[in-house]
Amino acid sequence: MITINNLNFGYSKHNLLFKDMSMQLSAGHIYGLLGKNGAGKSSLLKNIAGLVYAQSGSLKVMGFDPAKREPELLADICFIPEEFYLPSIKIDAYIKANAPFYKKFDYAYLNVLLEEFNIPISNKLVNMSYGQKKKFIIAFGLATQAKLVIMDEPTNGLDIPSKAQFRKVMASALTDDRCIVISTHQVRDLDNLIDTVIMLDESTISLKASIEEITQKLTFKKMKELDETVIYAEPALSGYNVVVPNFHQEDSKMDIELLFNAVIAEKKKLKPIFN
Amino acid sequence: MNNSFNFNRFWLLVKRQWLEFGKIYLISLLVVVGVLILFYAWNLPEPEAEKGYRYNSEGFLYLSFRIPLFLTLGFIFISVIASGYFSLLGQKPKAIIELMTPASTLEKWLCSIFYTGIFSVFSFLLVFYITDLAFVKYIDKTIGTITFSWTSGVHPTPKTGIVSARTFFNDFFEHDEIKSMVVVPFMITSIFLLGSVYFNRFHYIKTAVVVMLFLTALIYTLIQTANWMTRDKMQDSANFGFSSAHNEFFIYAMVGITAVTVFLWCVTFFRVKEKEV
């Protein structure tokens, strides 16, 4: 669905944010895009959506060049930005004005989602809280039936019950012909939701692997004392939370925060494992 | 699917833009109507003071406030509307929603021209015409029975008549020079529309400052060039060498203004196309 080849991008020519980035994203997956502040998560999403232009390299989304902003592609992209603006009109007026642009717009599904998120359709957008607005824009975006769903920090501003609702809705929104990319720095919010992790660090992709591959190659567990097999460790109550190579095909639950810190701190140790 | 232009999509975009743009537009138009009514009411000729009336050469009541009112208010209205159209592209959250709307850049650009170059200009003309017509009718009705005398021509002969007023557009467009200036409003909107997409903040002020600086530089350059070209040369006619038998100057001016307008609209198209968030 998304093919990136040797992409070079930066807000100035001399300070590139991505250098020769290459990657492929396919339909039927929920990708979690992780990275430190300023690593370029939002910029990568904007490149994919055609909101910024790369210096060189190629980027194709469903066969289109997103930089051309062709309506056919735009109708198949649902982009939920971190900061967004909604006009001061009623929800039904917003739907009436915007939904006809999307040929596959599912009005019934939108109603189901609004009900799930407890948002009355008669509400005026401007009077809603930030969290409610975010839930509305997510519901509207999913109802467009876009094949590519891009979300930049979607859980920001959502309360705890809403985060659970969000995970439930997103899990049910994944279909075989849909690709979902979620960027966040609140990695715990993506627990049990994403199936592939993409980590950005130092102008490049430091890790791209499915959860299955990660848990096949690494074990996440608690240890009382550290040994030479440990790749990364964090002090915890009565011992350490550690990441170790999975030599004995152990089953473990991936600790996404631990993995994130391990990738940032021990890139050299992890690279041979995933290559 | 046609990715360049689709009439159905364009119409959807016009309707969608109205939701956001319409409020600012209607409020501005209401202010315009209010100012017009205020000015007309303030300047209405009073029957008791008929001696103070001024008449034009054809004996119609001369309402001198109308020309500056039309030009000033018209300029402010169409420039403010044009300056606000793409202003949302300067704000990241708004710009993302706008740029991700499934319509082509051509459609978004045509929609901007429709609202700023056509809709705002003609709605101002309509509002001005209706207000003016209403007051002209009122003037005719209230003081049209008063007889007066006036003199005109090279050898003045006193004439008598009844107080009467003509609508503004009858007065204003009776000169060919004015007719050739009908493209000026479109140029004004094209300048401010470009300013709205070029600058991220303070679009109106920045555009106005740039235009003033540009015009100052242009006029200064023209004067200096003309001085340099005519230095030490003798003047051979009373009209400074300018001769226009068939209003050629105004035709050239109209063509020039149209060319500048089209050029600025084209630049706006590319600015929208290349806009990054």
Side-chain angles (χ1 to χ4, degrees):
Chain A
M1 180 165 279
I2 301 170
T3 310
I4 302 172
N5 279 320
N6 305 109
L7 193 79
N8 289 299
F9 170 79
Y11 291 101
S12 75
K13 280 183 183 175
H14 307 291
N15 189 15
L16 289 179
L17 200 52
F18 310 136
K19 286 177 194 159
D20 287 326
M21 179 184 278
S22 296
M23 169 169 68
Q24 283 206 336
L25 305 182
S26 318
H29 293 280
I30 302 183
Y31 294 92
L33 182 61
L34 313 176
K36 290 189 289 189
N37 289 338
K41 302 185 294 291
S42 300
S43 300
L44 179 59
L45 298 184
K46 283 181 190 172
N47 267 282
I48 294 170
L51 291 168
V52 288
Y53 301 136
Q55 263 85 16
S56 61
S58 84
L59 201 165
K60 293 278 176 195
V61 177
M62 291 175 258
F64 291 91
D65 177 359
K68 289 184 178 168
R69 294 176 188 156
E70 290 168 287
E72 195 174 348
L73 176 63
L74 293 175
D76 251 332
I77 297 180
C78 153
F79 187 86
I80 311 292
E82 184 182 7
E83 295 170 65
F84 57 88
Y85 163 82
L86 289 171
S88 61
I89 54 174
K90 284 189 172 178
I91 286 179
D92 48 358
Y94 183 89
I95 295 166
K96 206 176 160 187
N98 289 281
F101 284 100
Y102 304 90
K103 281 186 180 172
K104 294 176 282 180
F105 195 89
D106 191 336
Y107 291 89
Y109 182 48
L110 176 67
N111 286 333
V112 169
L113 291 175
L114 291 179
E115 214 165 283
E116 173 83 29
F117 286 138
N118 301 317
I119 300 172
I121 203 157
S122 57
N123 268 13
K124 207 170 181 184
L125 289 166
V126 77
N127 296 333
M128 297 197 312
S129 69
Y130 177 79
Q132 281 183 311
K133 283 182 191 171
K134 193 137 210 177
K135 286 190 280 186
F136 170 73
I137 202 171
I138 289 169
F140 183 87
L142 293 176
T144 62
Q145 301 293 319
K147 284 182 185 163
L148 175 61
V149 179
I150 300 170
M151 295 178 159
D152 193 5
E153 307 285 357
T155 54
N156 267 8
L158 297 187
D159 55 20
I160 293 166
S162 298
K163 283 182 182 178
Q165 284 173 332
F166 168 76
R167 277 195 290 268
K168 185 183 157 195
V169 164
M170 291 313 298
S172 65
L174 183 66
T175 56
D176 287 343
D177 61 350
R178 190 177 243 180
C179 172
I180 301 174
V181 187
I182 304 173
S183 149
T184 187
H185 63 271
Q186 297 177 13
V187 289
R188 295 255 181 239
D189 292 344
L190 300 187
D191 251 356
N192 302 322
L193 180 63
I194 56 171
D195 59 39
T196 306
V197 174
I198 302 167
M199 284 196 194
L200 295 182
D201 191 36
E202 292 176 359
S203 314
T204 189
I205 297 163
S206 49
L207 177 73
K208 179 177 177 277
S210 67
I211 304 291
E212 197 185 346
E213 188 188 353
I214 292 167
T215 50
Q216 268 176 8
K217 291 180 174 174
L218 299 173
T219 304
F220 300 82
K221 60 183 179 183
K222 275 196 166 182
M223 284 172 88
K224 288 206 168 177
E225 285 182 13
L226 300 178
D227 60 31
E228 71 282 356
T229 61
V230 171
I231 295 171
Y232 179 77
E234 281 178 2
L237 280 174
S238 64
Y240 297 90
N241 288 327
V242 298
V243 179
V244 290
N246 192 359
F247 293 126
H248 309 294
Q249 297 303 306
E250 288 176 67
D251 282 335
S252 69
K253 188 178 180 299
M254 188 183 81
D255 182 332
I256 197 165
E257 203 169 294
L258 197 62
L259 175 72
F260 178 82
N261 291 333
V263 171
I264 300 296
E266 302 293 350
K267 205 177 297 166
K268 282 181 186 168
K269 285 184 186 173
L270 283 167
K271 204 167 187 181
I273 298 174
F274 287 95
N275 275 345
Chain B
M1 183 189 275
N2 188 336
N3 277 311
S4 298
F5 186 81
N6 175 289
F7 190 78
N8 182 43
R9 214 166 45 215
F10 175 70
W11 180 238
L12 284 175
L13 191 65
V14 169
K15 286 198 288 184
R16 180 191 179 276
Q17 296 306 86
W18 177 252
L19 276 181
E20 188 68 1
F21 172 82
K23 275 183 191 164
I24 302 162
Y25 166 81
L26 285 176
I27 291 166
S28 308
L29 201 63
L30 268 176
V31 171
V32 164
V33 172
V35 173
L36 282 177
I37 291 172
L38 210 69
F39 262 83
Y40 270 84
W42 187 261
N43 290 286
L44 260 185
E46 293 167 26
E48 295 80 22
E50 77 273 12
K51 282 179 184 171
Y53 295 170
R54 289 172 64 199
Y55 308 97
N56 64 16
S57 58
E58 290 166 18
F60 289 106
L61 204 60
Y62 182 59
L63 301 167
S64 60
F65 70 94
R66 292 194 298 191
I67 290 178
L69 179 66
F70 175 76
L71 296 177
T72 312
L73 201 58
F75 174 82
I76 292 170
F77 177 72
I78 61 173
S79 59
V80 164
I81 293 294
S83 187
Y85 190 84
F86 278 129
S87 60
L88 38 78
L89 292 182
Q91 297 164 54
K92 201 160 73 170
K94 291 182 179 177
I96 289 174
I97 302 287
E98 287 306 307
L99 294 177
M100 293 306 292
T101 301
S104 68
T105 307
L106 178 67
E107 287 154 353
K108 288 171 185 171
W109 174 72
L110 285 174
C111 194
S112 72
I113 291 176
F114 168 73
Y115 273 123
T116 61
I118 299 170
F119 198 62
S120 72
V121 172
F122 285 98
S123 59
F124 175 77
L125 292 177
L126 185 69
V127 160
F128 197 96
Y129 176 77
I130 290 170
T131 314
D132 181 65
L133 185 68
F135 276 94
V136 164
K137 293 275 179 205
Y138 176 77
I139 290 166
D140 281 350
K141 201 175 168 188
T142 52
I143 58 175
T145 50
I146 297 168
T147 38
F148 65 97
S149 63
W150 81 96
T151 55
S152 68
V154 183
H155 305 292
T157 315
K159 297 176 185 177
T160 55
I162 296 170
V163 171
S164 179
R166 278 203 311 182
T167 58
F168 171 75
F169 291 110
N170 278 336
D171 269 350
F172 195 62
F173 288 111
E174 69 179 1
H175 307 290
D176 287 343
E177 298 85 354
I178 298 295
K179 280 178 191 163
S180 67
M181 292 292 132
V182 291
V183 285
V184 170
F186 303 108
M187 188 179 71
I188 293 169
T189 57
S190 70
I191 292 169
F192 281 88
L193 185 66
L194 177 59
S196 77
V197 70
Y198 195 88
F199 300 113
N200 285 336
R201 295 176 68 201
F202 308 116
H203 316 82
Y204 194 88
I205 303 286
K206 285 180 181 173
T207 309
V209 169
V210 168
V211 170
M212 276 192 290
L213 290 175
F214 175 75
L215 287 180
T216 308
L218 183 71
I219 291 165
Y220 179 79
T221 311
L222 285 177
I223 290 171
Q224 291 300 318
T225 310
N227 280 341
W228 174 72
M229 288 174 77
T230 56
R231 194 178 297 148
D232 303 327
K233 291 188 173 68
M234 191 179 286
Q235 184 182 318
D236 66 350
S237 71
N239 59 8
F240 300 96
F242 176 72
S243 170
S244 174
H246 303 287
N247 285 329
E248 286 160 334
F249 171 79
F250 296 106
I251 292 166
Y252 290 138
M254 191 156 88
V255 171
I257 292 167
T258 307
V260 170
T261 306
V262 171
F263 172 74
L264 292 175
W265 275 338
C266 291
V267 176
T268 304
F269 172 79
F270 287 105
R271 288 295 301 185
V272 176
K273 192 178 163 65
E274 290 163 6
K275 187 77 187 173
E276 291 183 272
V277 181

